[in-house]
Amino acid sequence: MCDKTMTFSVNQERENELKRNLTIVYDALVQKGYNPINQIVGYILSEDPTYITTYNNARSLIRHIDRDELLQVLVKNYLEN
């Protein structure tokens, strides 16, 4: 076993791409009348894409977002604000 701490990093360009895509998904959920926070959290926890509407290609976009990267960006932004 390794005693060293693993590191994980997302570069700024990838972070911007994640934000753009997540914003599109969020907006699509709002437009279809869903609670976007609940739906996105459901997806993150289960990785079940049916939590996300197909409207405006949102389901396809969310499936291209790596959940580990997304969680890192969310935690970073939460703690910075």
Side-chain angles (χ1 to χ4, degrees):
M1 284 200 190
C2 184
D3 290 338
K4 294 184 179 180
T5 301
M6 301 273 301
T7 60
F8 185 84
S9 179
V10 177
N11 68 37
Q12 189 61 46
E13 184 177 319
R14 179 67 177 146
E15 186 174 330
N16 292 339
E17 180 184 348
L18 290 171
K19 184 176 181 177
R20 276 192 307 273
N21 289 342
L22 190 59
T23 300
I24 292 168
V25 170
Y26 181 95
D27 290 342
L29 289 164
V30 168
Q31 290 173 22
K32 294 306 280 182
Y34 296 106
N35 179 320
I37 302 300
N38 290 348
Q39 297 305 112
I40 292 169
V41 168
Y43 171 75
I44 291 170
L45 293 175
S46 69
E47 202 170 7
D48 181 353
T50 61
Y51 278 98
I52 307 301
T53 181
T54 57
Y55 179 74
N56 204 17
N57 206 30
R59 188 175 293 167
S60 178
L61 283 173
I62 198 92
R63 294 180 85 187
H64 287 89
I65 296 174
D66 181 271
R67 289 187 313 158
D68 293 336
E69 290 177 339
L70 177 58
L71 286 171
Q72 180 192 10
V73 170
L74 291 173
V75 169
K76 175 186 168 203
N77 283 293
Y78 179 82
L79 292 174
E80 286 178 350
N81 294 321

